[in-house]
């Protein structure tokens, strides 16, 4: 999957979810997914740092 296909898939998923969830549910899901992304980025950065030290 290239970057254009990836962004199109993410947009399609967001549009699908927005039609099925309430505003409150969308807000919570957005917050949860933001935290997930931030946590994954932190883990990746920590792994990279540890790999550089080896």
């Amino acid at each position: 999957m290239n970057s254009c296909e990836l962004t199109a898939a993410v947009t399609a998923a967001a549009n699908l979810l927005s039609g099925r969830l309430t505003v409150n549910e969308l807000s919570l899901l957005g917050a949860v997914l933001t935290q997930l992304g931030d946590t994954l980025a932190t883990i990746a950065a920590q792994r990279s740092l540890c790999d550089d030290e080896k």
Side-chain angles (χ1 to χ4, degrees):
M1 179 180 292
N2 67 38
S3 60
C4 290
E5 293 167 335
L6 178 60
T7 57
V10 170
T11 298
N15 287 331
L16 179 68
L17 289 168
S18 72
R20 300 183 190 280
L21 300 177
T22 67
V23 171
N24 288 337
E25 291 168 333
L26 283 172
S27 295
L28 178 59
L29 182 58
V32 167
L33 293 176
T34 296
Q35 181 179 355
L36 175 63
D38 290 347
T39 301
L40 290 172
T42 300
I43 291 167
Q46 190 267 341
R47 283 185 182 177
S48 178
L49 181 63
C50 288
D51 287 347
D52 289 346
E53 291 177 356
K54 289 181 181 179

